[in-house]
Amino acid sequence: MATRLPEAPKVGMVSLGCPKNLVDSERILTKLRSDGYAMSADYAGADVVLVNTCGFLDSAKEESLEAIGEAIAENGRVIVTGCMGKQAEVIRARFPNVLAVTGAHQYEEVVGAVHDAAPMPPNAFLNLVPEGGLKLTPRHYSYLKISEGCNHRCSFCIIPALRGDLVSRRPDAILREAEKLVEAGTKELLVISQDTSAYGVDIRKEPRMWKGAEVVPHMTDLARELGKIAPWVRLHYVYPYPHVDQVIPLMAEGLILPYLDIPFQHAAPSVLRTMRRPANEAKVLERIHKWREIAPDITIRSTFVVGFPGETEADFQYLLDWLDEAQLDRVGAFRFEPVEGAAANDLPGAVPEEVKEERYARIMAKTAAISAAKLQAKVGRTLEVIIDEVDGDGANARSQADAPEIDGTVFLRDAGHLKQGDIVKVEIEDADEHDLYGAPLA
C-alpha cells in the first residue's frame, strides 16, 4: 500500500517596494521552497502570509500598513519583513496579532519565523526547486542584486538606516547566479543595488577567480563579464562617478545595453548641496554629451525631486533649463515627502503643497515633450526588442531603451507568431509621448 505524504504548509507572499525588495522576496521563497513549503497564490490557501514591506516614504509606509491589514483580515496569520521591519513597534501597535516582524534582507529570521508559524511535517521531503531559484518576474528577465546598503548620507534618504552601509557580493557569486538565471531562461539581466557604481568599494582588493581568470570587484569588470553571459544586461541606480565613463565603450561594443539609470534628483547647485548630492552639474552635462558621442543610442533615465525644502522658483527653473540641455530620454519625478528619520525634515523653507503640485505638472510636461520628440525620431528605424507578452495577433515588447514596468512599451502588430522572451528586429511605424508602435521584420 502506497504511503500518503502529508501536505506541505503553503506560504503566500505580498511583495511591495523596489526591485531590490523583489529580489529579497525571491530569495525567501526559494529557501522556503527548498525546505519543502508550497506556495499559495491567494490568502485563502495560505497557512501563513509574508508581507515584504517598503519603508522609504510615508506614502510607501502607509501602503505597507494597508497591505498588512488586508493580509490579517483575509488570512489572519501574517509575518512582516522588509524595510519597515525597522519600525516593529509601529507595526505591532496597529496590528498586535502579527506573528513576527523582521528587517530588510534578514532571510534566516524570516524563514525561521515561517518554520515556527507553520511547522513542516517531519516526513515531508518534496523540496525540489528550479535550478535558478523561484522568480516573481516573467521567465525572460531577472533582477540581479550585486550589493546591499549604501555609503551615501543624502539628507532626504533613510536607506542606510534601513539597510546599512554598502556590502558588495563576491563577483564570482554574482556571475554564478547570472549563469544559472540564463540557463533557466533569462534573456535580460537587470543589475540593481542601492548604488551600482559603488560596487566593490568595500572589497576592491579581493579579486576572485572566474573561468580561469581573476575578476576584480568593480562595476566595469563585472559588467564586462555579465555581458558575456546574457544577451541583454541593463544597469540601474548608477551614481555619475568618473569611472562610469568606462562602461560607455562596453555599450558601444554591444556588450551591455546602451542604458543608464542615474538618479540625478536635481540640477540646481544649492538644492543639490542641501540634498548632500554631487553638485557639479555642468561637468555632468559635458559627460552626457561625450557618452552620446561614444554610444549614440545611449538611453539615460533619471528621477528628480520637486518641492525640496528651500527650492526656489529660480532653482526649479534652473532644473527645467538643465533638462532642456541634457535631453534625458526617460524621466520620473516625485513631490518631496518628509520621511521619518531623514535630516531633510529639519531644513527650513518648506515648499507649500500647491507649489509642489504646480512644479510637478511643469516638469512632467517638459519631460513628456522631450520624450515625444526623441521617440518620433525613431519612426522609420529598425530596433531590436524583447517580447514581454503576445496577445492574439499583437505583442507588447520593449526596446533596449525600455526597462520593464518603468519605461515605455513597443506595441507590435502582426506578431502572433512570436513568443515571450524572443529578441527580434522590428520596424518602428509610429510614436507618442512614451511608447512606440511597429511590426516585426519579415
Side-chain angles (χ1 to χ4, degrees):
M1 181 176 177
T3 300
R4 182 174 181 179
L5 295 175
E7 289 190 8
K10 292 185 177 181
V11 179
M13 169 71 83
V14 177
S15 187
L16 305 173
C18 65
K20 293 178 284 295
N21 251 23
L22 190 68
V23 173
D24 289 344
S25 295
E26 291 175 342
R27 288 181 178 173
I28 292 166
L29 291 180
T30 295
K31 177 65 173 102
L32 289 171
R33 187 69 186 90
S34 70
D35 288 347
Y37 287 85
M39 303 298 118
S40 175
D42 54 40
Y43 291 121
D47 294 287
V48 64
V49 175
L50 299 176
V51 180
N52 194 359
T53 59
C54 178
F56 183 50
L57 297 173
D58 287 348
S59 54
K61 292 178 185 177
E62 189 56 39
E63 181 184 9
S64 295
L65 291 171
E66 289 175 2
I68 296 167
E70 178 181 336
I72 288 176
E74 296 290 334
N75 182 278
R77 297 176 58 75
V78 177
I79 294 170
V80 178
T81 187
C83 292
M84 204 176 170
K86 285 275 188 178
Q87 297 179 299
E89 69 286 352
V90 174
I91 295 169
R92 290 193 179 281
R94 188 155 165 179
F95 306 107
N97 294 328
V98 294
L99 301 177
V101 181
T102 72
H105 57 265
Q106 293 180 346
Y107 310 121
E108 294 81 2
E109 289 85 345
V110 178
V111 171
V114 172
H115 279 281
D116 291 340
M120 179 64 60
N123 60 344
F125 60 87
L126 298 177
N127 57 2
L128 298 179
V129 296
E131 181 65 22
L134 298 183
K135 293 174 80 270
L136 299 177
T137 55
R139 185 168 181 258
H140 62 291
Y141 68 81
S142 301
Y143 291 102
L144 182 64
K145 188 190 288 189
I146 63 173
S147 66
E148 282 286 1
C150 183
N151 289 341
H152 293 283
R153 295 297 184 266
C154 301
S155 62
F156 55 84
C157 182
I158 59 170
I159 291 298
L162 296 175
R163 291 181 171 262
D165 289 335
L166 176 74
V167 178
S168 300
R169 295 178 63 197
R170 291 170 43 159
D172 55 330
I174 296 170
L175 296 170
R176 193 174 300 113
E177 180 182 351
E179 274 199 335
K180 288 183 177 180
L181 288 169
V182 171
E183 289 168 0
T186 291
K187 301 288 185 68
E188 177 182 9
L189 291 173
L190 300 111
V191 178
I192 58 169
S193 65
Q194 291 302 137
D195 180 1
T196 294
S197 40
Y199 169 71
V201 167
D202 54 326
I203 56 171
R204 64 178 60 182
K205 296 182 180 179
E206 301 175 28
R208 299 286 178 170
M209 296 301 297
W210 175 255
K211 305 292 186 183
E214 283 191 344
V215 178
V216 176
H218 184 277
M219 181 181 72
T220 307
D221 299 76
L222 184 67
R224 184 182 295 109
E225 294 302 320
L226 288 172
K228 300 174 185 177
I229 296 173
W232 282 18
V233 176
R234 190 182 301 276
L235 301 181
H236 284 283
Y237 314 127
V238 176
Y239 277 65
Y241 301 135
H243 70 258
V244 172
D245 297 351
Q246 299 170 20
V247 303
I248 310 303
L250 302 183
M251 299 176 181
E253 295 169 22
L255 203 56
I256 63 175
L257 293 184
Y259 181 100
L260 277 181
D261 182 352
I262 303 179
F264 288 116
Q265 307 296 10
H266 215 280
S270 59
V271 178
L272 289 170
R273 280 194 295 271
T274 54
M275 285 182 169
R276 301 178 189 166
R277 303 280 291 183
N280 194 344
E281 80 295 338
K283 190 171 182 179
V284 168
L285 287 174
E286 292 175 12
R287 292 171 66 203
I288 289 174
H289 293 318
K290 289 180 180 177
W291 295 344
R292 287 179 173 144
E293 289 175 4
I294 297 169
D297 284 334
I298 189 171
T299 294
I300 303 173
R301 103 166 313 275
S302 190
T303 51
F304 296 88
V305 178
V306 299
F308 193 77
E311 181 192 60
T312 65
E313 176 59 28
D315 292 328
F316 181 71
Q317 186 58 52
Y318 189 105
L319 171 58
L320 296 183
D321 294 342
W322 188 90
L323 288 168
D324 275 330
E325 177 70 19
Q327 290 288 299
L328 302 184
D329 302 84
R330 302 291 192 187
V331 171
F334 301 90
R335 309 157 189 83
F336 172 77
E337 284 186 36
V339 179
E340 185 177 346
N345 300 347
D346 299 325
L347 292 173
V351 177
E353 292 301 318
E354 62 271 17
V355 176
K356 290 181 190 177
E357 289 297 328
E358 186 263 347
R359 290 177 182 172
Y360 175 80
R362 286 162 63 193
I363 193 172
M364 296 312 293
K366 165 74 69 178
T367 56
I370 293 172
S371 175
K374 281 182 165 282
L375 294 181
Q376 190 62 41
K378 295 182 179 183
V379 174
R381 290 187 58 187
T382 296
L383 299 179
E384 191 173 70
V385 304
I386 189 167
I387 304 298
D388 281 337
E389 182 181 2
V390 179
D391 183 11
D393 194 41
N396 295 344
R398 289 178 292 107
S399 73
Q400 296 185 349
D402 303 304
E405 300 185 0
I406 58 174
D407 292 326
T409 299
V410 183
F411 295 101
L412 300 177
R413 61 175 179 83
D414 300 334
H417 61 290
L418 300 174
K419 62 181 184 297
Q420 187 183 64
D422 283 349
I423 296 177
V424 299
K425 292 188 180 297
V426 304
E427 181 178 357
I428 303 304
E429 300 172 333
D430 200 1
D432 57 27
E433 288 183 344
H434 303 292
D435 303 311
L436 296 170
Y437 302 82
L441 294 181

